[in-house]
Amino acid sequence: MANVFGNILKLSLFGESHSDAIGIVIDGLPAGLPVDMDAVQTEMERRAPGRNAFSTPRKEGDAPHIVSGLFNGKTTGTPLCAIIQNTNTRSKDYTPQLLRPSHADFTALCRYHGFSDYRGGGHFSGRLTAPLVFAGAILKSYLASQGIEIFAHIKSLKNHQDVAFDSVNPDKETYRKLKNEMLAVLNKEIATKMAETIESAKMVQDSVGGVIEALITGLPAGLGSPFFESVESRLAAMLFSVPAVKGVEFGSGFGITELLGSQANDPFCLKDGTVKTKTNHNGGINGGITNGMPLCFSVAVKPTPSISKPQETVNTETQKEETMEIHGRHDPCIVPRAVCVIEAAAAIVTADLLLEAKTYAEPASKRN
Amino acid sequence: MANVFGNILKLSLFGESHSDAIGIVIDGLPAGLPVDMDAVQTEMERRAPGRNAFSTPRKEGDAPHIVSGLFNGKTTGTPLCAIIQNTNTRSKDYTPQLLRPSHADFTALCRYHGFSDYRGGGHFSGRLTAPLVFAGAILKSYLASQGIEIFAHIKSLKNHQDVAFDSVNPDKETYRKLKNEMLAVLNKEIATKMAETIESAKMVQDSVGGVIEALITGLPAGLGSPFFESVESRLAAMLFSVPAVKGVEFGSGFGITELLGSQANDPFCLKDGTVKTKTNHNGGINGGITNGMPLCFSVAVKPTPSISKPQETVNTETQKEETMEIHGRHDPCIVPRAVCVIEAAAAIVTADLLLEAKTYAEPASKRN
Amino acid sequence: MANVFGNILKLSLFGESHSDAIGIVIDGLPAGLPVDMDAVQTEMERRAPGRNAFSTPRKEGDAPHIVSGLFNGKTTGTPLCAIIQNTNTRSKDYTPQLLRPSHADFTALCRYHGFSDYRGGGHFSGRLTAPLVFAGAILKSYLASQGIEIFAHIKSLKNHQDVAFDSVNPDKETYRKLKNEMLAVLNKEIATKMAETIESAKMVQDSVGGVIEALITGLPAGLGSPFFESVESRLAAMLFSVPAVKGVEFGSGFGITELLGSQANDPFCLKDGTVKTKTNHNGGINGGITNGMPLCFSVAVKPTPSISKPQETVNTETQKEETMEIHGRHDPCIVPRAVCVIEAAAAIVTADLLLEAKTYAEPASKRN
Amino acid sequence: MANVFGNILKLSLFGESHSDAIGIVIDGLPAGLPVDMDAVQTEMERRAPGRNAFSTPRKEGDAPHIVSGLFNGKTTGTPLCAIIQNTNTRSKDYTPQLLRPSHADFTALCRYHGFSDYRGGGHFSGRLTAPLVFAGAILKSYLASQGIEIFAHIKSLKNHQDVAFDSVNPDKETYRKLKNEMLAVLNKEIATKMAETIESAKMVQDSVGGVIEALITGLPAGLGSPFFESVESRLAAMLFSVPAVKGVEFGSGFGITELLGSQANDPFCLKDGTVKTKTNHNGGINGGITNGMPLCFSVAVKPTPSISKPQETVNTETQKEETMEIHGRHDPCIVPRAVCVIEAAAAIVTADLLLEAKTYAEPASKRN
């Protein structure tokens, strides 16, 4: 029930858009993990607003400050807490009585009986993904030390489709470069069209969404468990934590339902003496457990709900229907900034799975 | 890590296809809940094989026996354990060294170091969904007493689309009748085509998949929490526990990414003095919390991996590539039987959310 | 909130004194662990009633039947469920309206609103410790394979004190033999006096309690965590699960409060190149973490609440005070049978700690 | 495994003695709970050092700063994070290679492979109890609004015994005044002797311990659950989190083992139409569940391990035995300051139990 996630790693997320700070406590980290604050900052900036034409001009200065759990540049193994100050909160007039459509204003009102902090969306603010990105940055370096990498790109933006990742023979060198792109898209022509689409939406005070595809390479076979602790269950639980995500699919996902079994099944083969699959419709997961192929999934990110266009709503004070306009700085599309959030979410779950796998790594006796 | 699910309700699932029995322990049930074993049996039979032309002729006799937690026909509030005997397990020769494509044979081998029970898929068998259906049956009656109903139908089967549920003004009377159908489909002509498609796949030793759409009506606004405990996270974690599920989406799901924000946002309105939304692209959830609209989601179910067609695989004994054929009784399509499993999964999470909501139901002081 | 225990190992306990069966589901077991049913049965019989003059003559035949999670005599790694039938439940008249003093009759009534199974104490019955002993038996063999042993004896019975375990240089050979004793007591003269005390209590329809001391040898240093997951916290949580336990202390426990710091502190020394302590007032735990010395703790077991002597109580039906006599077969002292329950509780927690320690066993980088 | 505690309330503790700050995240708090920072500060000062002759002269200025989860002076219902700066950390030379006896130096070394922050005890510092006291202060006010109060006193200090609390008819007015005392002791003559004992220990560079007894009044009957979630299990798990606690007992605790069943059983009676017990040897708990009587428990607090007397130890650098002296400011007795920590620990668990009880408060149907 609480904002605590993970089996071995435990993450506690806190903060509101206009509270003093936001932050995260990460417990269960391996001791002795080097923390490269430059690498962390690079990830933070991938998420930060004001980075390009498609995002809000506000400069948040998302510089995480590590309060505990770090000693001589390495993790201590005890809880690591990082804080990000909320320095740039405008003191403006809020009208919490006007429920912003598709935002959490109404549900927060019901859930917290009117006591939640409504300023800037409060605890529901997309800004809370910054601590997730921080955690992801720490854990990506852990995963890298184990030979595991995470890639993501914009698979589609509105109706523009990028080429899909190759989840059988991933071109890691190319995918790695995506992290430096304004728009993480493989097909540069499509990228231009996507940029135009975002710009057009902005012009008409509207917004657009898209699909982000991610790939995790270097995973050993045998992570995860059947049923409630399936890799899909755990990744999906984290991915659906990210605001605006409305769909998650693995491998061919919804598309697999249009295939015949003979097409959807991934034939096994031997590659350098190791069991692999020839295709990867199952996204690297069978029976809830990784099979050693790249893990592949996609998430649907809805159009930014904050739009300046007039919208119909209810005024909870007057108890009357009303029309509202949402002013202020808002991304016409959060998909570009969400790419590294999705990577972070994947890194968190993957690291948790990897640590947990140590508990079932050695058989209690030899196989007969 | 373990097969334990839930915050207030705790479910422990156990058993293998060929062990003595399979079963479930449910803890955290409200005391005094009447258990109608006829209603339970009706649900069990919706899932049971051999019910129609599209499913395996085997008669499993899935009669759950309640071992504990029931007294005078009502739940005691202490752990309820139900056991389903495995009476009809054929003693046939198994060839665990031949990895069935898209099954868990290989991943189980890696995860459990060769010690897992491979007969009939062992713990990974779809048969393990029977205890889930049992739990769902118990909890559906609890939900019904709170005015909550769960509906599901086959939204698509291969490329045949049923009409979607109306998630704004659901026709509950019509949807209720779906439970008695062989194929839970609203459009009867489409149902016929789906039946033909399944039959055709069977003829050629192949299989097909589909999408199941579900609707939960009568939910109060305010269930769930932001981030890690979002309603989407919790439902998805359970839904991805169900074998063969490869995608989960809420409301318009992946489709929402092709809409503009002004189309995707659900305008608020007043209906009989209550705040509602005019559309329901968000599937009844904002910011991870229910908004009082029908909760709507879809899941992608892949084609049955067990097909008789020859398939390429690896023999782990000889460490050579080989061709295999899977014989025996297998559903050419598990989607029809999966409908009630998805309902059960939804019932479990909904009941857990509802119980948990009692802990945040009353404000600590009056709103100022 | 639920009857689920453990971090890596997850135990779900179920059943009532007069339900069809009682049992346990254990998840998270290492795969490939051999299960020796003879060894299991030996442990079950140590707990079973009717074993000697001090316990009830009833023969329960506590033969656990493993329903799942075992294949070819070894654990599969998937959930292991064991069931113990309730074969010998007398159908007698129960008077639930008469609250038995110091039993759970009244609290169960309040907690479960009158719906709990009151027959024979229902879910609160001491019989529910049988599945714990089963789990302990499985895990003791796992611990033994890691060089870890658990010993326990009756440290005191009413006012008779046995000699304490030597927690610095334990005489394991002697302690091992305690398992075969009717009364697990080191000083045989004291054992005789204890037996007489139990007999005397029985004669006057009364009962007695005692203290059980346990010792865990072979533990590596470094298990557990500070604060909420301290070894003391985890062991105590399990030990206080055992009915009738009213106190838990580690090392010198309450006695340590009468020492000066200079007496209570355990000086470090080197033994065969390994850091050890010269004394063991801290019971093998510093800062919540094992220090490689034998782990030593004691638990207080209250006198059996079921006594035939007339007792004052309240009749919930008439809402009047009344005098009651509890008839039937009851142990005048449960301490002798509780010895193996305490060992089992210790084995469960130790195994959980040991498995969890694998997740922090290897540093993320070399120490600088 | 992680520093996260609670079922409904989730507490995450972080920080080291010499990190920038220490703190806590509390999730699951009821929304709308007023937070009185003066009341919080009063509690903080009860724990703070330098308050009297018996504690270290250092002035820590434990002023918690609430970073999130508070709006308009009331809890929002979303995670509340409080930070306490570490302003007064002396930069002195540390000799981590000298293992302080009965401290966590050695176990931390093993557990965290040499990466933990050893300065001032790091994460193991008693200073980490300050955030617990903060959480306790918040929750005490919640409990007070429900009619629940928590009292604690020094039951014994070394061999000096205070009069015990009356756990049947508690004199709440008298007990309330204990919060303002330097030494929370009922018998003032004994208090003087205790003060002298502490002073004497200090003179000889030694330390003393004691027993703290606590009482929780106003609890409804029916909180908690049998077995793993017994009230004893949950309280003990939290109490053993507090550094230096080596024993926990409920009601008559270890003393109950010297009574006959007829003496130890608490007879039921009617008081103003409510079921109560005449005595309270079981400490207000039967079968793991509260019975509506005052909940009474005691904890053993060992003598401060930091003493200036020469002690034998091991130098991990030279791998030789050595004699060491611990210099610096150390309490000769932490028992007086631990009183409010124990109260806080009790408040946390009680609030968690109370919130959880809402999930089983209403029966699913009327009792038959």
Side-chain angles (χ1 to χ4, degrees):
Chain A
M1 153 153 44
N3 275 336
V4 176
F5 184 90
N7 286 2
I8 304 299
L9 289 171
K10 302 272 179 189
L11 278 69
S12 299
L13 196 62
F14 58 87
E16 288 95 36
S17 176
H18 286 58
S19 61
D20 279 10
I22 58 175
I24 195 163
V25 183
I26 315 172
D27 199 9
L29 283 172
L33 185 65
V35 172
D36 175 349
M37 286 308 284
D38 287 339
V40 166
Q41 201 54 41
T42 301
E43 288 294 301
M44 297 309 291
E45 273 158 29
R46 290 178 66 204
R47 195 213 71 92
R51 197 171 155 246
N52 58 44
F54 319 127
S55 67
T56 135
R58 172 170 49 151
K59 192 85 191 70
E60 284 181 8
D62 284 345
H65 174 67
I66 297 182
V67 163
S68 69
L70 193 74
F71 186 48
N72 294 332
K74 288 178 181 162
T75 56
T76 57
T78 53
L80 187 153
C81 176
I83 296 271
I84 303 170
Q85 295 296 321
N86 284 330
T87 49
N88 194 11
T89 52
R90 281 197 192 174
S91 60
K92 68 168 196 172
D93 291 334
Y94 286 93
T95 50
Q97 69 276 19
L98 285 178
L99 306 171
R100 292 171 302 160
S102 292
H103 269 280
D105 299 350
F106 175 62
T107 54
L109 187 73
C110 299
R111 170 69 172 81
Y112 301 107
H113 307 284
F115 293 102
S116 64
D117 184 350
Y118 46 75
R119 298 168 303 166
H123 185 59
F124 293 83
S125 167
R127 182 159 166 68
L128 267 285
T129 57
L132 282 186
V133 170
F134 167 80
I138 302 277
L139 294 168
K140 275 178 185 176
S141 78
Y142 171 62
L143 295 175
S145 75
Q146 312 287 312
I148 297 168
E149 276 187 279
I150 297 174
F151 307 98
H153 72 127
I154 303 175
K155 191 183 180 184
S156 70
L157 193 138
K158 205 163 187 289
N159 51 341
H160 301 293
Q161 310 280 333
D162 190 18
V163 289
F165 275 153
D166 183 335
S167 65
V168 176
N169 295 303
D171 179 1
K172 295 201 276 183
E173 209 168 322
T174 300
Y175 301 171
R176 236 170 246 141
K177 292 177 192 152
L178 288 164
K179 291 197 203 303
N180 308 316
E181 303 284 338
M182 287 285 195
L183 285 179
V185 178
L186 293 167
N187 181 328
K188 298 307 159 198
E189 280 176 49
I190 291 291
T192 309
K193 284 186 184 162
M194 288 180 180
E196 289 165 5
T197 300
I198 297 174
E199 195 56 35
S200 306
K202 193 182 177 184
M203 287 299 116
V204 294
Q205 281 96 45
D206 217 324
S207 64
V208 289
V211 174
I212 294 169
E213 185 185 40
L215 199 69
I216 312 176
T217 62
L219 287 174
L223 303 184
S225 294
F227 297 99
F228 306 145
E229 295 286 328
S230 75
V231 171
E232 290 107 326
S233 291
R234 287 166 69 165
L235 270 167
M238 176 50 93
L239 293 165
F240 277 118
S241 298
V242 179
V245 170
K246 297 304 278 187
V248 171
E249 59 181 9
F250 294 87
S252 298
F254 281 87
I256 207 170
T257 66
E258 302 198 17
L259 303 178
L260 288 168
S262 57
Q263 299 166 315
N265 285 357
D266 299 312
F268 285 110
C269 61
L270 285 169
K271 221 178 213 169
D272 306 324
T274 309
V275 175
K276 294 286 170 191
T277 65
K278 291 191 171 180
T279 54
N280 196 2
H281 294 294
N282 284 278
I285 309 168
N286 293 138
I289 297 170
T290 58
N291 65 11
M293 291 296 291
L295 197 161
C296 189
F297 66 86
S298 297
V299 302
V301 179
K302 72 177 184 183
T304 324
S306 295
I307 54 174
S308 308
K309 274 204 168 153
Q311 297 185 84
E312 297 169 71
T313 190
V314 166
N315 183 321
T316 58
E317 224 165 76
T318 61
Q319 280 293 312
K320 293 221 168 108
E321 297 185 351
E322 208 168 295
T323 296
M324 80 180 295
E325 289 171 31
I326 303 173
H327 296 296
R329 308 153 305 185
H330 298 293
D331 288 8
C333 183
I334 54 162
V335 179
R337 290 172 59 198
V339 169
C340 70
V341 177
I342 296 305
E343 287 176 26
I348 291 164
V349 177
T350 304
D352 195 30
L353 282 164
L354 207 63
L355 288 169
E356 181 186 301
K358 294 186 180 190
T359 69
Y360 47 78
E362 299 155 61
S365 65
K366 294 286 160 209
R367 193 187 176 185
N368 51 354
Chain B
M1 154 154 44
N3 276 336
V4 176
F5 184 91
N7 286 3
I8 304 299
L9 289 172
K10 302 273 181 190
L11 277 68
S12 300
L13 196 62
F14 59 86
E16 288 95 36
S17 175
H18 286 58
S19 61
D20 280 9
I22 58 175
I24 196 163
V25 183
I26 315 171
D27 198 9
L29 282 172
L33 185 65
V35 173
D36 175 349
M37 287 307 285
D38 287 340
V40 166
Q41 202 54 42
T42 300
E43 288 293 301
M44 298 308 292
E45 274 159 26
R46 290 178 66 205
R47 195 213 71 92
R51 195 171 155 244
N52 58 44
F54 319 126
S55 68
T56 135
R58 170 169 52 151
K59 192 85 191 69
E60 285 182 8
D62 284 345
H65 175 67
I66 297 181
V67 163
S68 70
L70 192 75
F71 187 48
N72 293 334
K74 288 178 181 161
T75 56
T76 57
T78 54
L80 187 153
C81 175
I83 298 269
I84 303 170
Q85 295 296 322
N86 283 330
T87 48
N88 195 9
T89 52
R90 278 198 195 176
S91 61
K92 69 166 194 173
D93 291 334
Y94 287 93
T95 50
Q97 69 276 20
L98 285 178
L99 306 170
R100 292 171 301 160
S102 293
H103 269 280
D105 298 350
F106 175 62
T107 54
L109 188 72
C110 299
R111 169 69 172 83
Y112 301 108
H113 307 284
F115 293 102
S116 64
D117 184 350
Y118 47 75
R119 299 168 301 166
H123 185 58
F124 292 83
S125 168
R127 181 158 167 69
L128 268 285
T129 56
L132 282 186
V133 170
F134 167 80
I138 302 279
L139 294 167
K140 276 179 184 176
S141 78
Y142 170 62
L143 294 175
S145 75
Q146 312 287 312
I148 297 168
E149 275 186 279
I150 297 174
F151 307 98
H153 73 127
I154 303 174
K155 192 183 181 184
S156 70
L157 194 137
K158 205 160 186 294
N159 52 340
H160 302 293
Q161 310 280 334
D162 191 18
V163 289
F165 275 153
D166 183 337
S167 65
V168 177
N169 296 301
D171 178 1
K172 296 202 275 184
E173 207 168 325
T174 300
Y175 301 170
R176 235 169 248 142
K177 291 177 194 153
L178 288 164
K179 291 196 204 303
N180 308 315
E181 302 285 337
M182 286 285 196
L183 285 178
V185 178
L186 292 167
N187 180 328
K188 297 309 159 198
E189 279 175 49
I190 291 291
T192 307
K193 283 183 184 163
M194 289 180 179
E196 288 165 5
T197 300
I198 297 173
E199 195 55 35
S200 305
K202 191 183 178 184
M203 287 299 117
V204 294
Q205 281 96 47
D206 217 324
S207 65
V208 289
V211 174
I212 294 169
E213 185 183 41
L215 200 69
I216 312 176
T217 63
L219 287 175
L223 302 185
S225 294
F227 297 99
F228 307 144
E229 294 288 328
S230 74
V231 171
E232 290 107 326
S233 291
R234 288 167 69 166
L235 270 168
M238 177 50 94
L239 292 166
F240 277 119
S241 299
V242 178
V245 169
K246 297 304 279 188
V248 171
E249 59 181 11
F250 294 87
S252 298
F254 282 87
I256 207 170
T257 67
E258 302 199 16
L259 302 179
L260 289 166
S262 57
Q263 299 166 315
N265 285 358
D266 299 310
F268 284 110
C269 60
L270 285 169
K271 220 179 215 168
D272 307 325
T274 309
V275 175
K276 294 286 169 191
T277 65
K278 289 192 171 180
T279 55
N280 195 2
H281 293 294
N282 284 278
I285 309 169
N286 293 140
I289 297 170
T290 59
N291 65 11
M293 292 296 290
L295 197 162
C296 190
F297 66 86
S298 296
V299 302
V301 179
K302 73 177 182 183
T304 323
S306 296
I307 56 173
S308 310
K309 273 202 170 156
Q311 296 186 84
E312 297 168 72
T313 190
V314 166
N315 183 321
T316 57
E317 226 167 73
T318 61
Q319 280 291 314
K320 293 218 167 110
E321 297 185 351
E322 207 168 296
T323 297
M324 80 179 295
E325 289 171 32
I326 303 174
H327 296 296
R329 309 154 302 183
H330 298 293
D331 288 9
C333 182
I334 55 162
V335 179
R337 289 172 58 197
V339 170
C340 69
V341 177
I342 296 305
E343 287 175 25
I348 290 164
V349 177
T350 305
D352 195 30
L353 281 164
L354 207 64
L355 288 168
E356 182 184 303
K358 294 187 179 188
T359 68
Y360 45 80
E362 298 154 61
S365 65
K366 293 286 160 209
R367 193 187 175 186
N368 51 354
Chain C
M1 153 154 44
N3 276 336
V4 177
F5 184 90
N7 287 2
I8 304 298
L9 289 172
K10 302 271 180 190
L11 277 69
S12 300
L13 197 61
F14 58 86
E16 288 95 35
S17 175
H18 286 58
S19 61
D20 279 10
I22 59 176
I24 195 163
V25 183
I26 314 171
D27 199 9
L29 282 172
L33 185 66
V35 173
D36 175 348
M37 286 307 285
D38 287 340
V40 166
Q41 201 55 40
T42 300
E43 289 293 302
M44 297 309 292
E45 272 159 28
R46 290 178 65 205
R47 194 213 71 92
R51 196 171 154 246
N52 58 45
F54 319 127
S55 67
T56 136
R58 171 170 50 152
K59 193 87 189 68
E60 284 181 9
D62 284 346
H65 174 67
I66 297 181
V67 163
S68 69
L70 192 75
F71 187 47
N72 294 332
K74 288 177 180 162
T75 56
T76 57
T78 53
L80 187 153
C81 175
I83 297 269
I84 303 170
Q85 295 296 323
N86 284 330
T87 48
N88 195 9
T89 51
R90 279 200 194 173
S91 60
K92 69 167 196 173
D93 290 334
Y94 287 93
T95 51
Q97 69 277 19
L98 285 178
L99 306 171
R100 292 171 302 160
S102 293
H103 269 281
D105 298 350
F106 175 62
T107 54
L109 187 72
C110 299
R111 169 69 172 81
Y112 301 106
H113 307 284
F115 292 103
S116 65
D117 183 350
Y118 47 74
R119 298 168 302 165
H123 185 58
F124 293 83
S125 168
R127 182 158 167 68
L128 268 283
T129 56
L132 282 187
V133 170
F134 167 80
I138 302 278
L139 294 168
K140 275 178 185 176
S141 79
Y142 170 62
L143 295 175
S145 75
Q146 312 288 311
I148 296 168
E149 276 186 278
I150 296 174
F151 307 98
H153 73 128
I154 303 175
K155 192 184 182 183
S156 71
L157 195 137
K158 205 160 187 291
N159 51 340
H160 301 293
Q161 309 279 333
D162 191 17
V163 289
F165 275 152
D166 183 336
S167 66
V168 177
N169 296 301
D171 178 1
K172 295 201 276 186
E173 208 168 322
T174 300
Y175 302 171
R176 235 169 247 140
K177 292 178 193 151
L178 288 164
K179 292 196 203 302
N180 308 316
E181 302 285 337
M182 285 287 194
L183 285 179
V185 178
L186 292 167
N187 182 327
K188 297 309 157 197
E189 279 174 52
I190 291 291
T192 308
K193 282 184 186 163
M194 289 180 180
E196 288 165 5
T197 300
I198 297 173
E199 195 56 34
S200 305
K202 191 182 177 183
M203 286 300 114
V204 295
Q205 280 96 47
D206 218 323
S207 65
V208 289
V211 175
I212 295 169
E213 185 184 40
L215 200 68
I216 313 177
T217 62
L219 287 174
L223 302 185
S225 295
F227 296 100
F228 307 144
E229 295 287 328
S230 74
V231 171
E232 290 108 325
S233 291
R234 286 166 70 167
L235 270 167
M238 176 51 92
L239 292 166
F240 278 119
S241 298
V242 178
V245 170
K246 297 304 278 188
V248 170
E249 60 181 10
F250 294 87
S252 298
F254 281 88
I256 207 170
T257 67
E258 303 199 16
L259 302 179
L260 288 167
S262 56
Q263 299 166 316
N265 285 358
D266 300 310
F268 285 109
C269 60
L270 286 169
K271 220 179 216 168
D272 307 325
T274 308
V275 175
K276 293 287 169 190
T277 65
K278 290 192 172 180
T279 54
N280 196 1
H281 294 294
N282 284 277
I285 308 168
N286 292 139
I289 296 170
T290 58
N291 64 10
M293 292 295 290
L295 197 162
C296 189
F297 66 86
S298 298
V299 302
V301 179
K302 72 177 184 183
T304 324
S306 295
I307 55 174
S308 308
K309 273 202 169 157
Q311 297 186 84
E312 297 168 72
T313 191
V314 166
N315 183 321
T316 57
E317 225 168 73
T318 61
Q319 280 291 313
K320 294 218 168 113
E321 297 185 352
E322 206 168 297
T323 297
M324 78 180 295
E325 289 171 32
I326 303 173
H327 295 297
R329 309 152 303 184
H330 299 292
D331 287 9
C333 182
I334 54 162
V335 179
R337 289 173 59 198
V339 170
C340 70
V341 177
I342 296 305
E343 287 175 25
I348 291 164
V349 176
T350 304
D352 195 29
L353 282 164
L354 207 65
L355 288 168
E356 181 185 304
K358 295 186 179 188
T359 68
Y360 46 79
E362 299 154 61
S365 66
K366 293 286 158 208
R367 193 186 176 187
N368 51 356
Chain D
M1 154 156 38
N3 276 336
V4 177
F5 184 91
N7 286 2
I8 303 299
L9 289 171
K10 301 272 180 190
L11 278 69
S12 299
L13 197 61
F14 58 86
E16 288 94 36
S17 175
H18 286 56
S19 60
D20 279 10
I22 58 174
I24 195 163
V25 183
I26 314 171
D27 198 8
L29 283 171
L33 185 66
V35 172
D36 176 350
M37 286 309 285
D38 288 339
V40 165
Q41 202 53 41
T42 300
E43 288 293 301
M44 297 310 291
E45 273 157 30
R46 290 179 65 205
R47 195 212 71 92
R51 196 171 155 245
N52 58 44
F54 319 127
S55 67
T56 137
R58 171 169 51 151
K59 190 86 192 65
E60 285 181 7
D62 284 345
H65 174 67
I66 297 181
V67 163
S68 70
L70 192 75
F71 187 48
N72 294 332
K74 288 179 181 161
T75 56
T76 57
T78 54
L80 187 152
C81 176
I83 297 269
I84 302 170
Q85 295 296 321
N86 283 331
T87 49
N88 194 11
T89 53
R90 281 198 193 174
S91 60
K92 70 167 194 171
D93 291 334
Y94 286 93
T95 50
Q97 69 276 21
L98 285 178
L99 305 171
R100 291 171 301 161
S102 293
H103 269 281
D105 299 351
F106 175 61
T107 54
L109 188 73
C110 300
R111 170 70 171 81
Y112 300 108
H113 308 284
F115 293 102
S116 64
D117 184 350
Y118 46 74
R119 298 168 302 166
H123 185 57
F124 293 83
S125 167
R127 182 158 166 68
L128 268 284
T129 57
L132 282 186
V133 170
F134 167 80
I138 302 278
L139 294 168
K140 275 179 186 176
S141 78
Y142 170 62
L143 295 175
S145 75
Q146 313 287 312
I148 296 168
E149 276 186 279
I150 297 174
F151 307 98
H153 73 127
I154 303 175
K155 192 183 180 183
S156 71
L157 194 138
K158 205 162 186 292
N159 52 341
H160 302 292
Q161 309 279 334
D162 190 19
V163 289
F165 275 152
D166 183 337
S167 66
V168 176
N169 295 302
D171 178 1
K172 295 201 275 183
E173 209 168 323
T174 299
Y175 301 170
R176 236 170 247 140
K177 292 176 193 152
L178 289 165
K179 292 197 203 302
N180 309 317
E181 302 285 337
M182 286 286 195
L183 286 178
V185 177
L186 292 167
N187 181 329
K188 298 309 159 198
E189 279 175 49
I190 291 290
T192 309
K193 283 184 184 162
M194 289 180 181
E196 288 165 4
T197 300
I198 297 173
E199 196 56 36
S200 306
K202 192 182 177 183
M203 287 299 117
V204 294
Q205 281 96 44
D206 217 324
S207 64
V208 288
V211 175
I212 294 169
E213 184 184 43
L215 200 68
I216 312 176
T217 63
L219 287 175
L223 303 185
S225 294
F227 297 100
F228 307 145
E229 295 287 328
S230 74
V231 172
E232 290 107 326
S233 291
R234 287 167 71 166
L235 270 168
M238 176 51 93
L239 292 165
F240 277 118
S241 299
V242 179
V245 169
K246 297 304 279 187
V248 171
E249 60 181 9
F250 294 86
S252 298
F254 281 88
I256 207 170
T257 67
E258 302 198 18
L259 302 179
L260 289 167
S262 57
Q263 299 166 315
N265 285 357
D266 300 310
F268 285 110
C269 61
L270 285 169
K271 220 179 215 170
D272 307 325
T274 309
V275 175
K276 294 286 170 192
T277 65
K278 291 192 170 179
T279 54
N280 194 3
H281 294 293
N282 285 278
I285 309 168
N286 293 140
I289 297 170
T290 59
N291 65 12
M293 291 296 291
L295 196 161
C296 189
F297 66 86
S298 296
V299 302
V301 179
K302 73 177 183 183
T304 324
S306 295
I307 56 173
S308 309
K309 274 204 169 152
Q311 297 186 84
E312 297 168 71
T313 189
V314 167
N315 183 322
T316 57
E317 225 166 74
T318 61
Q319 280 292 314
K320 293 219 168 113
E321 296 186 352
E322 209 169 294
T323 296
M324 79 181 294
E325 288 171 33
I326 303 174
H327 295 295
R329 308 153 304 186
H330 298 292
D331 289 9
C333 183
I334 54 163
V335 178
R337 289 172 61 199
V339 170
C340 70
V341 177
I342 297 304
E343 287 176 24
I348 291 164
V349 177
T350 304
D352 195 30
L353 281 164
L354 207 64
L355 288 168
E356 181 184 302
K358 294 186 180 188
T359 69
Y360 45 79
E362 299 153 61
S365 66
K366 293 286 160 209
R367 193 188 176 184
N368 50 354

